[in-house]
Amino acid sequence: MKIAEEEIIIAQNSNLFRNIGSQGVEELVAAAQISKLNGGAHYFLEDDPADTGYLLLKGKVKLTQVTLEGQQVILGYLSPGRVFGIIAILKKVTYPVSAQAVGNCIALAWDQRTLNRLMERHPQIALNSLLIMAGQIREFQNRVRDLSTKRVETRLARAVLRLANQTGVKVPEGILIDLPLSRQDLAEMTGSTLYTVSRILHDWEEMGIVLSKRQKVVITNPHGLVSIAEDLPENQEEGQIQADDLCDI
């Protein structure tokens, strides 16, 4: 299966390919397998042996973990251009999360042996991989900090804004989160309950901040949502700047 020209451009702009030159990019793409999954299928499950790294070209991928109590927690969603499972560059480790396709997905895939061979030829790939893993660790640390220190409404606002930055699409009503996003999904992202998330979304609708329908969320007042996420008055400058960035989607 060949990949489209726009998907090649996505790959070339990925952090994995940074500073390795056109020859290295061509070699990386040529060495990859094309992984195509239907929505709902898993690239890998938490605690599976980490033997393959991926670069998403099309679709979205949901990352989840299961707590000791058996509760699923959604850590985030990946859009095209993001790398996942890159921990496979290390030997004898397992995946710390599960990665599930949201809708039909296409990704480049490299097994561990291929990754190690490519890193020997292009050491920059190893450095890029380590930087990607460091960034992912920071993301997860921020989520843990939010879960342990922020009130539920703030956590929910931050989660909705993250999703808008990752997948937001401008529509007449505002900014649509381009995901089949249920209220249960939002509860799992914020360590909350379905009842609490539903109540908060209802309050935000009354305030004119969001429109929330079945598996659909539209941000109608980005400034108001940023104010909640940052615990700021709506007219405070820092919140306005972040909301303006969101409006550039």
Side-chain angles (χ1 to χ4, degrees):
M1 175 184 174
K2 293 184 178 181
I3 59 177
E5 183 66 29
E6 61 268 23
E7 292 166 354
I8 293 176
I9 294 173
I10 289 172
Q12 291 172 336
N13 291 331
S14 166
N15 288 340
L16 184 63
F17 292 176
R18 181 177 296 171
N19 297 327
I20 68 169
S22 58
Q23 183 178 351
V25 170
E26 291 176 3
E27 188 174 348
L28 260 171
V29 172
Q33 300 293 317
I34 307 299
S35 177
K36 185 175 181 180
L37 290 188
N38 295 327
H42 282 84
Y43 282 100
F44 50 79
L45 295 173
E46 182 179 353
D47 293 330
D48 280 351
D51 56 10
T52 305
Y54 300 89
L55 168 58
L56 187 63
L57 299 179
K58 184 178 180 180
K60 296 180 177 66
V61 169
K62 178 170 66 174
L63 301 181
T64 62
Q65 277 186 334
V66 177
T67 68
L68 294 176
E69 294 77 22
Q71 179 183 1
Q72 177 174 274
V73 177
I74 298 176
L75 298 175
Y77 291 84
L78 303 181
S79 299
R82 292 293 300 272
V83 174
F84 58 105
I86 199 61
I87 196 172
I89 65 171
L90 307 176
K91 295 182 178 179
K92 297 181 180 180
V93 297
T94 59
Y95 293 115
V97 300
S98 297
Q100 184 180 25
V102 180
N104 296 334
C105 291
I106 299 175
L108 297 178
W110 299 270
D111 61 40
Q112 188 175 80
R113 179 177 298 180
T114 300
L115 282 171
N116 290 336
R117 173 173 58 80
L118 290 167
M119 286 189 297
E120 289 177 0
R121 289 178 55 82
H122 304 280
Q124 184 68 38
I125 297 173
L127 177 59
N128 291 345
S129 298
L130 291 174
L131 291 173
I132 289 169
M133 286 192 286
Q136 292 170 344
I137 290 171
R138 285 196 299 271
E139 285 185 30
F140 294 155
Q141 286 175 330
N142 289 338
R143 307 290 168 82
V144 171
R145 182 191 62 197
D146 283 355
L147 289 172
S148 59
T149 64
K150 304 295 183 181
R151 59 195 179 96
V152 176
E153 188 175 18
T154 300
R155 298 201 303 263
L156 183 57
R158 286 172 176 257
V160 172
L161 288 170
R162 280 197 302 269
L163 292 174
N165 277 314
Q166 294 166 0
T167 72
V169 176
K170 282 189 175 180
V171 295
E173 299 90 345
I175 300 169
L176 168 67
I177 295 176
D178 190 20
L179 282 170
L181 189 67
S182 70
R183 296 186 177 191
Q184 181 61 41
D185 290 335
L186 289 170
E188 291 176 1
M189 290 187 71
T190 55
S192 185
T193 64
L194 176 61
Y195 170 79
T196 300
V197 167
S198 297
R199 176 180 56 78
I200 292 172
L201 288 176
H202 175 76
D203 290 344
W204 288 354
E205 286 192 88
E206 292 288 314
M207 297 164 63
I209 292 175
V210 301
L211 291 174
S212 176
K213 301 178 182 179
R214 186 177 182 272
Q215 294 196 328
K216 179 179 179 180
V217 176
V218 178
I219 302 173
T220 54
N221 181 357
H223 292 286
L225 192 60
V226 169
S227 295
I228 295 171
E230 301 297 336
D231 285 327
L232 298 171
E234 279 202 55
N235 61 353
Q236 189 160 332
E237 184 177 0
E238 182 180 354
Q240 289 181 345
I241 291 172
Q242 294 185 37
D244 289 341
D245 291 342
L246 186 61
C247 291
D248 288 336
I249 290 173

